[in-house]
């Protein structure tokens, strides 16, 4: 099921990305007719292998361009799709086809394929989440926020439990799969905008950072994200969300 899970994650990422189009599962081999108002990308799982903890999945996308749009529009949309998928999930191989014309609909179309690998030969496929650290835009595969009490405490003679604890703590943010380049050393009092609806970590500084993409930041305060807005019909508004990951 890893291939279908990854495809679902990628389609969700593409819907909120820079490429302006419609992204959905390829339940049909092509759009219904010629009347599409914007580019359409249909994604499917082409093949999947699994042996123990190792495996591969090959995903394919076919893009269709509205009638009247030229080959340049098709090339641009296909390139944007490929760039977003490479950024979000890091395939080990990418194949890009040429732009052609579908005989049944007359629409211009293009195809691309992505090979993902996990286990001993590669990292488990997954969506990379955007995170802002100060003025640095980066991405992570997972994050975890914890609290470390740092206040003083006072214990009476002969007692084990303190009778007074100073209400002070620091926040520890653990990041994995951090990409975007090494951070600038010595930065203090930064604000970290966590992925999705994770909120903001305030007054941050770096505690550790490794070349493998594992890092820890220490923060002085935390501000939760604003509640999700809903329209008059009760449906969610534009603000999105992502769960905190372990």
């Amino acid at each position: 099921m890893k291939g279908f899970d990854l495809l679902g994650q990628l389609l969700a990422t593409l819907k909120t990305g820079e490429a302006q189009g419609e992204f959905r599962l390829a339940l049909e081999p092509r759009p219904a007719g010629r009347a599409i108002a914007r580019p359409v990308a249909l994604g499917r799982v082409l093949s999947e292998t699994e042996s123990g903890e190792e495996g591969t999945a090959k995903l394919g996308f076919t893009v269709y361009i509205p009638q009247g749009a030229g080959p340049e529009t098709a090339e641009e949309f296909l390139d944007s799709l490929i760039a977003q998928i490479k950024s979000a999930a890091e395939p080990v191989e990418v194949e890009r086809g040429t732009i052609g014309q579908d005989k049944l609909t007359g629409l211009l179309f293009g195809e691309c394929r992505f090979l993902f690998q996990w286990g001993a030969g590669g990292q488990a496929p997954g969506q990379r989440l955007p995170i802002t650290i100060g003025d640095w835009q980066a991405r992570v595969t997972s994050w975890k926020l914890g609290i470390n009490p740092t206040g003083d405490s006072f214990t009476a003679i002969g007692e084990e439990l303190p009778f007074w604890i100073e209400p002070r703590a620091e926040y520890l943010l653990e990041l994995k799969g951090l990409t975007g380049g090494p951070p600038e050393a010595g930065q203090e009092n930064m604000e970290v905008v966590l992925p999705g609806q994770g909120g903001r970590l305030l007054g941050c500084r770096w505690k550790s950072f490794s070349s493998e993409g594992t890092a820890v930041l220490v923060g002085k305060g935390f501000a939760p994200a604003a509640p999700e807005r809903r329209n008059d019909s009760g449906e969610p508004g534009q603000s999105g969300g992502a769960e905190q990951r372990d």
Side-chain angles (χ1 to χ4, degrees), residues 90 123 128-133 136-143 173-183 192 195 206 208-217:
E90 298 186 346
Q123 179 180 331
R128 287 190 179 272
L129 305 171
I131 186 171
T132 303
I133 305 172
W136 183 37
Q137 304 293 323
R139 286 182 175 270
V140 295
T141 55
S142 66
W143 60 279
L173 177 61
E174 301 177 21
L175 305 175
K176 292 184 179 180
L178 182 62
T179 61
V192 176
W206 291 100
S208 63
F209 180 87
S210 72
S211 58
E212 289 78 21
T214 301
V216 178
L217 291 105

Side-chain angles (χ1 to χ4, degrees), residues 5 49 53 81 123 154 172 192 228:
D5 292 340
T49 64
E53 297 298 321
L81 175 74
Q123 179 180 331
F154 296 92
L172 296 178
V192 176
E228 185 181 45

Side-chain angles (χ1 to χ4, degrees), residues 1-4 6 45 47-59 89-93 114-126:
M1 293 297 292
K2 285 187 175 69
F4 287 98
L6 177 58
V45 178
S47 64
E48 187 170 4
T49 64
E50 194 164 1
S51 177
E53 297 298 321
E54 301 180 24
T56 64
K58 194 166 191 176
L59 307 185
E90 298 186 346
V92 295
E93 291 182 11
F114 305 86
L115 178 64
F116 300 91
Q117 184 177 359
W118 62 90
Q123 179 180 331

Side-chain angles (χ1 to χ4, degrees), residues 10-23:
L10 288 175
L11 288 172
T13 300
L14 291 168
K15 289 177 181 178
T16 60
E18 296 179 358
Q20 299 299 311
E22 183 179 346
F23 305 93

